[in-house]
Short mmCIF file of all heavy atoms in Angstrom, two decimals:
data_model
loop_
_atom_site.label_atom_id
_atom_site.label_comp_id
_atom_site.label_asym_id
_atom_site.label_seq_id
_atom_site.Cartn_x
_atom_site.Cartn_y
_atom_site.Cartn_z
N MET A 290 -55.55 177.43 -49.28
CA MET A 290 -54.66 177.45 -50.48
C MET A 290 -55.55 177.82 -51.67
O MET A 290 -56.64 177.33 -51.84
CB MET A 290 -54.11 176.06 -50.72
CG MET A 290 -53.16 176.00 -51.87
SD MET A 290 -52.45 174.42 -52.14
CE MET A 290 -51.87 173.90 -50.58
N SER A 291 -55.09 178.70 -52.45
CA SER A 291 -55.85 179.15 -53.64
C SER A 291 -56.01 178.09 -54.62
O SER A 291 -55.13 177.15 -54.74
CB SER A 291 -55.24 180.43 -54.23
OG SER A 291 -54.10 180.06 -54.94
N GLU A 292 -57.01 178.14 -55.44
CA GLU A 292 -57.23 177.11 -56.48
C GLU A 292 -56.10 177.12 -57.44
O GLU A 292 -55.74 176.07 -57.93
CB GLU A 292 -58.60 177.42 -57.16
CG GLU A 292 -59.03 176.31 -58.07
CD GLU A 292 -60.43 176.55 -58.58
OE1 GLU A 292 -61.28 177.13 -57.91
OE2 GLU A 292 -60.57 176.22 -59.75
N THR A 293 -55.65 178.33 -57.84
CA THR A 293 -54.56 178.41 -58.78
C THR A 293 -53.22 177.74 -58.24
O THR A 293 -52.57 177.04 -59.01
CB THR A 293 -54.24 179.85 -59.15
OG1 THR A 293 -55.41 180.48 -59.63
CG2 THR A 293 -53.19 180.04 -60.17
N LEU A 294 -52.95 178.00 -57.01
CA LEU A 294 -51.79 177.37 -56.40
C LEU A 294 -51.92 175.90 -56.33
O LEU A 294 -50.96 175.17 -56.61
CB LEU A 294 -51.56 177.95 -54.99
CG LEU A 294 -50.27 177.46 -54.30
CD1 LEU A 294 -49.07 177.85 -55.05
CD2 LEU A 294 -50.26 178.18 -52.92
N GLN A 295 -53.05 175.39 -56.02
CA GLN A 295 -53.30 173.89 -55.95
C GLN A 295 -53.12 173.32 -57.35
O GLN A 295 -52.54 172.25 -57.55
CB GLN A 295 -54.65 173.56 -55.40
CG GLN A 295 -54.93 172.12 -55.28
CD GLN A 295 -54.01 171.41 -54.32
OE1 GLN A 295 -53.70 171.96 -53.26
NE2 GLN A 295 -53.52 170.27 -54.70
N TYR A 296 -53.67 173.98 -58.34
CA TYR A 296 -53.50 173.58 -59.75
C TYR A 296 -52.11 173.52 -60.16
O TYR A 296 -51.65 172.49 -60.80
CB TYR A 296 -54.34 174.53 -60.70
CG TYR A 296 -54.34 174.11 -62.08
CD1 TYR A 296 -55.19 173.10 -62.55
CD2 TYR A 296 -53.50 174.80 -63.01
CE1 TYR A 296 -55.15 172.76 -63.91
CE2 TYR A 296 -53.47 174.43 -64.37
CZ TYR A 296 -54.35 173.41 -64.82
OH TYR A 296 -54.33 173.05 -66.12
N GLN A 297 -51.31 174.55 -59.80
CA GLN A 297 -49.87 174.57 -60.12
C GLN A 297 -49.14 173.38 -59.44
O GLN A 297 -48.37 172.69 -60.12
CB GLN A 297 -49.25 175.89 -59.70
CG GLN A 297 -47.83 176.01 -60.04
CD GLN A 297 -47.18 177.33 -59.58
OE1 GLN A 297 -47.93 178.21 -59.17
NE2 GLN A 297 -45.95 177.40 -59.76
N ARG A 298 -49.45 173.09 -58.24
CA ARG A 298 -48.81 172.00 -57.48
C ARG A 298 -49.19 170.65 -58.13
O ARG A 298 -48.33 169.74 -58.22
CB ARG A 298 -49.22 172.01 -55.99
CG ARG A 298 -48.49 173.14 -55.24
CD ARG A 298 -48.71 173.00 -53.78
NE ARG A 298 -47.96 174.11 -53.15
CZ ARG A 298 -48.08 174.43 -51.90
NH1 ARG A 298 -48.81 173.66 -51.09
NH2 ARG A 298 -47.40 175.39 -51.38
N ASN A 299 -50.45 170.52 -58.49
CA ASN A 299 -50.82 169.30 -59.19
C ASN A 299 -50.04 169.07 -60.48
O ASN A 299 -49.61 167.97 -60.78
CB ASN A 299 -52.30 169.28 -59.44
CG ASN A 299 -53.15 169.11 -58.18
OD1 ASN A 299 -52.63 168.73 -57.12
ND2 ASN A 299 -54.42 169.44 -58.24
N LEU A 300 -49.92 170.17 -61.20
CA LEU A 300 -49.08 170.08 -62.50
C LEU A 300 -47.66 169.70 -62.20
O LEU A 300 -47.06 168.91 -62.93
CB LEU A 300 -49.16 171.38 -63.26
CG LEU A 300 -50.46 171.70 -63.99
CD1 LEU A 300 -50.39 173.06 -64.67
CD2 LEU A 300 -50.70 170.63 -65.07
N GLU A 301 -47.06 170.28 -61.18
CA GLU A 301 -45.72 169.97 -60.82
C GLU A 301 -45.57 168.53 -60.42
O GLU A 301 -44.61 167.81 -60.83
CB GLU A 301 -45.24 170.85 -59.65
CG GLU A 301 -45.09 172.28 -60.07
CD GLU A 301 -44.84 173.21 -58.83
OE1 GLU A 301 -44.84 172.74 -57.75
OE2 GLU A 301 -44.59 174.43 -59.13
N GLU A 302 -46.54 167.97 -59.67
CA GLU A 302 -46.53 166.52 -59.32
C GLU A 302 -46.67 165.72 -60.55
O GLU A 302 -46.01 164.70 -60.68
CB GLU A 302 -47.61 166.22 -58.32
CG GLU A 302 -47.41 166.91 -56.94
CD GLU A 302 -46.10 166.36 -56.28
OE1 GLU A 302 -45.87 165.16 -56.31
OE2 GLU A 302 -45.35 167.20 -55.78
N LEU A 303 -47.53 166.07 -61.43
CA LEU A 303 -47.73 165.31 -62.73
C LEU A 303 -46.47 165.28 -63.55
O LEU A 303 -46.04 164.24 -63.99
CB LEU A 303 -48.90 165.92 -63.46
CG LEU A 303 -49.19 165.30 -64.82
CD1 LEU A 303 -49.57 163.82 -64.66
CD2 LEU A 303 -50.33 166.06 -65.52
N VAL A 304 -45.80 166.36 -63.64
CA VAL A 304 -44.52 166.47 -64.39
C VAL A 304 -43.43 165.53 -63.69
O VAL A 304 -42.76 164.80 -64.38
CB VAL A 304 -44.01 167.91 -64.43
CG1 VAL A 304 -42.56 167.98 -64.95
CG2 VAL A 304 -44.87 168.73 -65.33
N LYS A 305 -43.38 165.53 -62.36
CA LYS A 305 -42.47 164.67 -61.73
C LYS A 305 -42.77 163.22 -61.98
O LYS A 305 -41.89 162.37 -62.18
CB LYS A 305 -42.52 164.90 -60.16
CG LYS A 305 -41.94 166.17 -59.72
CD LYS A 305 -42.08 166.41 -58.24
CE LYS A 305 -41.63 167.70 -57.80
NZ LYS A 305 -41.90 167.97 -56.35
N LEU A 306 -44.01 162.86 -61.88
CA LEU A 306 -44.44 161.49 -62.19
C LEU A 306 -44.17 161.07 -63.62
O LEU A 306 -43.71 159.96 -63.89
CB LEU A 306 -45.96 161.26 -61.84
CG LEU A 306 -46.32 161.20 -60.39
CD1 LEU A 306 -47.80 161.21 -60.25
CD2 LEU A 306 -45.69 159.95 -59.72
N LEU A 307 -44.37 161.99 -64.54
CA LEU A 307 -44.03 161.61 -65.99
C LEU A 307 -42.55 161.40 -66.10
O LEU A 307 -42.16 160.54 -66.89
CB LEU A 307 -44.57 162.73 -66.88
CG LEU A 307 -46.08 162.80 -67.05
CD1 LEU A 307 -46.46 164.11 -67.76
CD2 LEU A 307 -46.59 161.62 -67.91
N ARG A 308 -41.78 162.24 -65.51
CA ARG A 308 -40.30 162.11 -65.64
C ARG A 308 -39.87 160.71 -65.03
O ARG A 308 -39.05 160.00 -65.66
CB ARG A 308 -39.56 163.21 -64.81
CG ARG A 308 -39.54 164.49 -65.51
CD ARG A 308 -38.72 165.49 -64.75
NE ARG A 308 -38.81 166.80 -65.38
CZ ARG A 308 -38.82 167.94 -64.74
NH1 ARG A 308 -38.84 167.93 -63.41
NH2 ARG A 308 -38.92 169.06 -65.38
N ILE A 309 -40.43 160.34 -63.93
CA ILE A 309 -40.12 159.04 -63.29
C ILE A 309 -40.55 157.96 -64.19
O ILE A 309 -39.84 156.94 -64.44
CB ILE A 309 -40.79 158.93 -61.91
CG1 ILE A 309 -40.18 159.91 -60.99
CG2 ILE A 309 -40.68 157.46 -61.42
CD1 ILE A 309 -40.88 160.07 -59.64
N TYR A 310 -41.74 158.10 -64.74
CA TYR A 310 -42.28 157.07 -65.67
C TYR A 310 -41.32 156.80 -66.88
O TYR A 310 -40.97 155.66 -67.17
CB TYR A 310 -43.68 157.47 -66.17
CG TYR A 310 -44.36 156.45 -67.05
CD1 TYR A 310 -45.03 155.38 -66.53
CD2 TYR A 310 -44.25 156.57 -68.48
CE1 TYR A 310 -45.54 154.45 -67.34
CE2 TYR A 310 -44.78 155.68 -69.28
CZ TYR A 310 -45.47 154.58 -68.70
OH TYR A 310 -46.06 153.63 -69.52
N PHE A 311 -40.90 157.88 -67.51
CA PHE A 311 -40.01 157.71 -68.65
C PHE A 311 -38.59 157.26 -68.29
O PHE A 311 -37.93 156.60 -69.05
CB PHE A 311 -40.03 159.03 -69.52
CG PHE A 311 -41.28 159.20 -70.29
CD1 PHE A 311 -42.17 160.21 -69.94
CD2 PHE A 311 -41.72 158.28 -71.24
CE1 PHE A 311 -43.37 160.42 -70.61
CE2 PHE A 311 -42.88 158.44 -71.95
CZ PHE A 311 -43.73 159.44 -71.59
N GLN A 312 -38.19 157.63 -67.11
CA GLN A 312 -36.89 157.09 -66.57
C GLN A 312 -36.93 155.63 -66.42
O GLN A 312 -36.00 154.86 -66.74
CB GLN A 312 -36.41 157.77 -65.37
CG GLN A 312 -35.97 159.27 -65.60
CD GLN A 312 -35.70 160.08 -64.36
OE1 GLN A 312 -36.09 159.57 -63.24
NE2 GLN A 312 -35.11 161.17 -64.44
N LEU A 313 -38.08 155.19 -65.82
CA LEU A 313 -38.29 153.74 -65.62
C LEU A 313 -38.32 153.02 -66.97
O LEU A 313 -37.86 151.92 -67.09
CB LEU A 313 -39.55 153.48 -64.82
CG LEU A 313 -39.43 153.78 -63.31
CD1 LEU A 313 -40.81 153.72 -62.67
CD2 LEU A 313 -38.41 152.95 -62.62
N ASP A 314 -38.90 153.65 -67.92
CA ASP A 314 -38.98 153.10 -69.31
C ASP A 314 -37.53 152.81 -69.80
O ASP A 314 -37.27 151.75 -70.40
CB ASP A 314 -39.72 154.02 -70.23
CG ASP A 314 -40.22 153.31 -71.48
OD1 ASP A 314 -40.67 152.15 -71.37
OD2 ASP A 314 -40.11 153.91 -72.54
N GLU A 315 -36.64 153.84 -69.65
CA GLU A 315 -35.26 153.64 -70.04
C GLU A 315 -34.63 152.52 -69.22
O GLU A 315 -33.74 151.75 -69.82
CB GLU A 315 -34.54 154.92 -69.86
CG GLU A 315 -34.92 156.01 -70.85
CD GLU A 315 -34.23 157.33 -70.64
OE1 GLU A 315 -33.14 157.30 -70.00
OE2 GLU A 315 -34.70 158.33 -71.14
N ILE A 316 -34.87 152.42 -67.95
CA ILE A 316 -34.30 151.39 -67.15
C ILE A 316 -34.81 149.98 -67.61
O ILE A 316 -34.00 149.06 -67.64
CB ILE A 316 -34.62 151.67 -65.64
CG1 ILE A 316 -33.90 152.91 -65.19
CG2 ILE A 316 -34.26 150.45 -64.80
CD1 ILE A 316 -34.40 153.38 -63.85
N VAL A 317 -36.02 149.93 -67.92
CA VAL A 317 -36.54 148.65 -68.44
C VAL A 317 -35.84 148.21 -69.72
O VAL A 317 -35.45 147.07 -69.86
CB VAL A 317 -38.09 148.70 -68.65
CG1 VAL A 317 -38.59 147.52 -69.45
CG2 VAL A 317 -38.80 148.73 -67.28
N ASP A 318 -35.71 149.23 -70.65
CA ASP A 318 -34.96 148.92 -71.96
C ASP A 318 -33.52 148.43 -71.62
O ASP A 318 -33.05 147.45 -72.14
CB ASP A 318 -34.89 150.16 -72.69
CG ASP A 318 -36.22 150.48 -73.40
OD1 ASP A 318 -37.12 149.60 -73.48
OD2 ASP A 318 -36.42 151.63 -73.87
N PHE A 319 -32.90 149.10 -70.61
CA PHE A 319 -31.57 148.66 -70.27
C PHE A 319 -31.59 147.22 -69.70
O PHE A 319 -30.71 146.41 -70.11
CB PHE A 319 -30.95 149.66 -69.27
CG PHE A 319 -29.61 149.24 -68.75
CD1 PHE A 319 -28.45 149.45 -69.46
CD2 PHE A 319 -29.47 148.60 -67.52
CE1 PHE A 319 -27.26 149.05 -69.04
CE2 PHE A 319 -28.26 148.23 -66.98
CZ PHE A 319 -27.11 148.47 -67.77
N ALA A 320 -32.50 146.99 -68.79
CA ALA A 320 -32.59 145.66 -68.19
C ALA A 320 -32.79 144.60 -69.24
O ALA A 320 -32.26 143.49 -69.08
CB ALA A 320 -33.65 145.59 -67.13
N ILE A 321 -33.63 144.86 -70.19
CA ILE A 321 -33.94 143.92 -71.27
C ILE A 321 -32.69 143.68 -72.15
O ILE A 321 -32.31 142.53 -72.42
CB ILE A 321 -35.12 144.34 -72.10
CG1 ILE A 321 -36.44 144.27 -71.31
CG2 ILE A 321 -35.22 143.54 -73.40
CD1 ILE A 321 -37.64 144.97 -71.99
N ASN A 322 -32.06 144.73 -72.60
CA ASN A 322 -31.01 144.64 -73.59
C ASN A 322 -29.65 144.32 -72.97
O ASN A 322 -28.93 143.62 -73.64
CB ASN A 322 -30.92 146.01 -74.37
CG ASN A 322 -32.21 146.22 -75.15
OD1 ASN A 322 -32.78 145.33 -75.65
ND2 ASN A 322 -32.58 147.42 -75.25
N GLU A 323 -29.37 144.87 -71.77
CA GLU A 323 -28.03 144.69 -71.25
C GLU A 323 -27.94 143.58 -70.13
O GLU A 323 -26.96 142.87 -70.08
CB GLU A 323 -27.47 145.99 -70.72
CG GLU A 323 -27.47 147.14 -71.71
CD GLU A 323 -26.51 146.87 -72.86
OE1 GLU A 323 -25.43 146.25 -72.65
OE2 GLU A 323 -26.75 147.38 -73.99
N LEU A 324 -28.98 143.57 -69.31
CA LEU A 324 -28.88 142.67 -68.18
C LEU A 324 -29.54 141.32 -68.45
O LEU A 324 -29.19 140.29 -67.82
CB LEU A 324 -29.53 143.32 -66.93
CG LEU A 324 -28.98 144.60 -66.43
CD1 LEU A 324 -29.78 145.14 -65.26
CD2 LEU A 324 -27.51 144.52 -66.06
N ASP A 325 -30.53 141.32 -69.38
CA ASP A 325 -31.26 140.13 -69.67
C ASP A 325 -31.81 139.47 -68.36
O ASP A 325 -31.67 138.32 -68.23
CB ASP A 325 -30.39 139.07 -70.42
CG ASP A 325 -31.16 138.07 -71.18
OD1 ASP A 325 -32.36 138.38 -71.55
OD2 ASP A 325 -30.72 136.93 -71.30
N ASP A 326 -32.35 140.27 -67.53
CA ASP A 326 -32.91 139.91 -66.26
C ASP A 326 -34.40 140.04 -66.25
O ASP A 326 -34.94 141.15 -65.98
CB ASP A 326 -32.24 140.61 -65.13
CG ASP A 326 -32.58 140.04 -63.76
OD1 ASP A 326 -33.63 139.39 -63.60
OD2 ASP A 326 -31.79 140.26 -62.84
N ASP A 327 -35.13 138.98 -66.46
CA ASP A 327 -36.63 139.08 -66.53
C ASP A 327 -37.26 139.48 -65.23
O ASP A 327 -38.28 140.18 -65.23
CB ASP A 327 -37.25 137.76 -67.07
CG ASP A 327 -36.87 137.53 -68.50
OD1 ASP A 327 -36.56 138.42 -69.21
OD2 ASP A 327 -36.89 136.36 -68.88
N GLU A 328 -36.67 139.04 -64.13
CA GLU A 328 -37.24 139.36 -62.82
C GLU A 328 -37.18 140.91 -62.54
O GLU A 328 -38.25 141.43 -62.09
CB GLU A 328 -36.44 138.64 -61.68
CG GLU A 328 -37.11 138.76 -60.32
CD GLU A 328 -36.35 138.03 -59.29
OE1 GLU A 328 -35.77 136.97 -59.55
OE2 GLU A 328 -36.28 138.49 -58.12
N ILE A 329 -36.13 141.55 -62.85
CA ILE A 329 -36.04 142.97 -62.69
C ILE A 329 -36.99 143.66 -63.61
O ILE A 329 -37.71 144.60 -63.25
CB ILE A 329 -34.59 143.44 -62.94
CG1 ILE A 329 -33.65 142.96 -61.83
CG2 ILE A 329 -34.54 144.97 -63.07
CD1 ILE A 329 -32.21 143.27 -62.14
N VAL A 330 -37.13 143.20 -64.88
CA VAL A 330 -38.00 143.80 -65.79
C VAL A 330 -39.40 143.72 -65.27
O VAL A 330 -40.20 144.71 -65.37
CB VAL A 330 -37.89 143.12 -67.19
CG1 VAL A 330 -39.01 143.61 -68.12
CG2 VAL A 330 -36.53 143.42 -67.76
N VAL A 331 -39.85 142.60 -64.74
CA VAL A 331 -41.19 142.41 -64.23
C VAL A 331 -41.38 143.36 -63.04
O VAL A 331 -42.51 144.05 -62.98
CB VAL A 331 -41.41 140.96 -63.80
CG1 VAL A 331 -42.75 140.83 -62.99
CG2 VAL A 331 -41.43 140.02 -65.04
N GLU A 332 -40.48 143.47 -62.11
CA GLU A 332 -40.64 144.39 -60.98
C GLU A 332 -40.78 145.87 -61.44
O GLU A 332 -41.65 146.63 -60.92
CB GLU A 332 -39.50 144.19 -60.02
CG GLU A 332 -39.60 142.82 -59.30
CD GLU A 332 -38.41 142.66 -58.35
OE1 GLU A 332 -37.93 143.67 -57.77
OE2 GLU A 332 -37.99 141.49 -58.11
N ILE A 333 -39.90 146.24 -62.31
CA ILE A 333 -39.88 147.68 -62.75
C ILE A 333 -41.15 147.97 -63.59
O ILE A 333 -41.76 149.07 -63.38
CB ILE A 333 -38.65 148.02 -63.55
CG1 ILE A 333 -37.37 147.88 -62.64
CG2 ILE A 333 -38.66 149.44 -64.13
CD1 ILE A 333 -36.08 147.96 -63.41
N SER A 334 -41.53 147.01 -64.36
CA SER A 334 -42.78 147.18 -65.10
C SER A 334 -43.97 147.34 -64.21
O SER A 334 -44.91 148.14 -64.51
CB SER A 334 -42.96 146.04 -66.08
OG SER A 334 -41.93 146.01 -67.06
N ALA A 335 -44.02 146.63 -63.13
CA ALA A 335 -45.13 146.76 -62.18
C ALA A 335 -45.21 148.14 -61.56
O ALA A 335 -46.23 148.76 -61.38
CB ALA A 335 -44.99 145.67 -61.12
N VAL A 336 -44.01 148.68 -61.29
CA VAL A 336 -43.96 150.01 -60.70
C VAL A 336 -44.43 151.02 -61.73
O VAL A 336 -45.19 151.98 -61.46
CB VAL A 336 -42.48 150.40 -60.18
CG1 VAL A 336 -42.42 151.86 -59.84
CG2 VAL A 336 -42.17 149.51 -59.05
N LYS A 337 -43.96 150.82 -63.01
CA LYS A 337 -44.36 151.68 -64.08
C LYS A 337 -45.94 151.69 -64.24
O LYS A 337 -46.54 152.77 -64.42
CB LYS A 337 -43.73 151.24 -65.41
CG LYS A 337 -42.46 151.88 -65.76
CD LYS A 337 -42.00 151.47 -67.10
CE LYS A 337 -42.93 151.89 -68.16
NZ LYS A 337 -42.65 151.50 -69.58
N ASP A 338 -46.45 150.47 -64.11
CA ASP A 338 -47.95 150.41 -64.26
C ASP A 338 -48.72 151.15 -63.17
O ASP A 338 -49.65 151.83 -63.36
CB ASP A 338 -48.40 148.93 -64.23
CG ASP A 338 -48.07 148.23 -65.55
OD1 ASP A 338 -47.80 148.85 -66.55
OD2 ASP A 338 -48.04 146.94 -65.54
N ARG A 339 -48.16 151.08 -61.92
CA ARG A 339 -48.74 151.80 -60.82
C ARG A 339 -48.70 153.28 -61.05
O ARG A 339 -49.59 154.03 -60.76
CB ARG A 339 -48.12 151.36 -59.49
CG ARG A 339 -48.52 149.95 -59.09
CD ARG A 339 -48.24 149.64 -57.62
NE ARG A 339 -46.89 149.72 -57.28
CZ ARG A 339 -45.97 148.74 -57.31
NH1 ARG A 339 -46.38 147.56 -57.70
NH2 ARG A 339 -44.76 148.90 -56.98
N ILE A 340 -47.52 153.75 -61.44
CA ILE A 340 -47.33 155.20 -61.75
C ILE A 340 -48.26 155.65 -62.94
O ILE A 340 -48.85 156.67 -62.79
CB ILE A 340 -45.88 155.49 -62.05
CG1 ILE A 340 -44.98 155.34 -60.81
CG2 ILE A 340 -45.72 156.91 -62.64
CD1 ILE A 340 -43.52 155.39 -61.03
N ARG A 341 -48.37 154.78 -63.95
CA ARG A 341 -49.25 155.10 -65.04
C ARG A 341 -50.69 155.29 -64.52
O ARG A 341 -51.36 156.23 -64.99
CB ARG A 341 -49.16 154.05 -66.14
CG ARG A 341 -50.08 154.30 -67.33
CD ARG A 341 -50.08 153.19 -68.29
NE ARG A 341 -50.23 151.86 -67.74
CZ ARG A 341 -51.45 151.40 -67.34
NH1 ARG A 341 -52.56 152.08 -67.48
NH2 ARG A 341 -51.52 150.14 -66.86
N LYS A 342 -51.17 154.43 -63.67
CA LYS A 342 -52.48 154.52 -63.14
C LYS A 342 -52.69 155.85 -62.33
O LYS A 342 -53.73 156.46 -62.47
CB LYS A 342 -52.81 153.30 -62.30
CG LYS A 342 -52.95 152.07 -63.08
CD LYS A 342 -53.21 150.83 -62.19
CE LYS A 342 -53.21 149.58 -63.01
NZ LYS A 342 -53.28 148.33 -62.23
N VAL A 343 -51.70 156.22 -61.57
CA VAL A 343 -51.80 157.46 -60.87
C VAL A 343 -51.90 158.66 -61.84
O VAL A 343 -52.64 159.61 -61.67
CB VAL A 343 -50.58 157.65 -59.91
CG1 VAL A 343 -50.55 159.04 -59.31
CG2 VAL A 343 -50.60 156.63 -58.76
N ILE A 344 -50.98 158.64 -62.88
CA ILE A 344 -51.03 159.66 -63.90
C ILE A 344 -52.40 159.74 -64.55
O ILE A 344 -52.94 160.82 -64.76
CB ILE A 344 -49.93 159.46 -64.97
CG1 ILE A 344 -48.57 159.67 -64.28
CG2 ILE A 344 -50.08 160.38 -66.12
CD1 ILE A 344 -47.37 159.26 -65.11
N GLU A 345 -52.97 158.63 -64.89
CA GLU A 345 -54.24 158.60 -65.54
C GLU A 345 -55.36 159.22 -64.62
O GLU A 345 -56.21 159.94 -65.06
CB GLU A 345 -54.62 157.11 -65.91
CG GLU A 345 -53.91 156.60 -67.10
CD GLU A 345 -54.15 155.15 -67.35
OE1 GLU A 345 -54.81 154.51 -66.57
OE2 GLU A 345 -53.72 154.64 -68.39
N ARG A 346 -55.28 158.90 -63.33
CA ARG A 346 -56.23 159.45 -62.42
C ARG A 346 -56.04 160.99 -62.29
O ARG A 346 -57.04 161.73 -62.22
CB ARG A 346 -56.08 158.81 -61.04
CG ARG A 346 -56.74 157.41 -60.90
CD ARG A 346 -56.92 157.07 -59.49
NE ARG A 346 -55.62 157.13 -58.65
CZ ARG A 346 -54.85 156.08 -58.43
NH1 ARG A 346 -55.11 154.92 -58.96
NH2 ARG A 346 -53.76 156.21 -57.72
N MET A 347 -54.82 161.42 -62.36
CA MET A 347 -54.59 162.86 -62.21
C MET A 347 -55.08 163.67 -63.41
O MET A 347 -55.53 164.75 -63.31
CB MET A 347 -53.11 163.11 -62.02
CG MET A 347 -52.51 162.72 -60.68
SD MET A 347 -50.80 163.02 -60.53
CE MET A 347 -50.80 164.81 -60.27
N ILE A 348 -55.04 163.03 -64.65
CA ILE A 348 -55.44 163.80 -65.81
C ILE A 348 -56.89 163.55 -66.23
O ILE A 348 -57.35 164.24 -67.05
CB ILE A 348 -54.47 163.52 -66.97
CG1 ILE A 348 -54.52 162.03 -67.45
CG2 ILE A 348 -53.06 163.97 -66.72
CD1 ILE A 348 -53.71 161.73 -68.62
N SER A 349 -57.54 162.66 -65.47
CA SER A 349 -58.89 162.44 -65.81
C SER A 349 -59.87 163.34 -65.10
O SER A 349 -59.50 163.96 -64.16
CB SER A 349 -59.31 160.93 -65.64
OG SER A 349 -59.22 160.63 -64.25
#
């Protein structure tokens, strides 16, 4: 696989992860404001943190 193609795939994966991250952010806001369910907020926040760490590794 060429270096350019690999770079493009990495960027595509990064964009997907960023979209998921921000969608989870909206879900957390909804859970806080509408559901008032701390357990769900904690679980989703943990997933967000794991995704954030992957994003950080990808861009570093």
Side-chain angles (χ1 to χ4, degrees):
M290 183 181 313
S291 74
E292 189 175 325
T293 303
L294 184 57
Q295 183 62 42
Y296 183 77
Q297 181 179 354
R298 287 189 179 172
N299 288 347
L300 282 177
E301 289 170 357
E302 291 299 315
L303 179 60
V304 168
K305 288 177 188 177
L306 286 171
L307 287 168
R308 285 185 184 142
I309 293 168
Y310 181 84
F311 288 112
Q312 288 172 346
L313 287 173
D314 198 43
E315 292 178 18
I316 294 168
V317 167
D318 286 343
F319 175 79
I321 290 170
N322 297 322
E323 302 294 329
L324 302 178
D325 197 33
D326 189 336
D327 292 338
E328 185 177 329
I329 291 174
V330 171
V331 168
E332 290 180 29
I333 296 170
S334 294
V336 172
K337 270 185 62 183
D338 287 341
R339 289 195 299 270
I340 292 173
R341 180 184 48 78
K342 289 176 185 174
V343 171
I344 291 169
E345 287 173 350
R346 282 195 306 265
M347 289 180 77
I348 62 176
S349 63

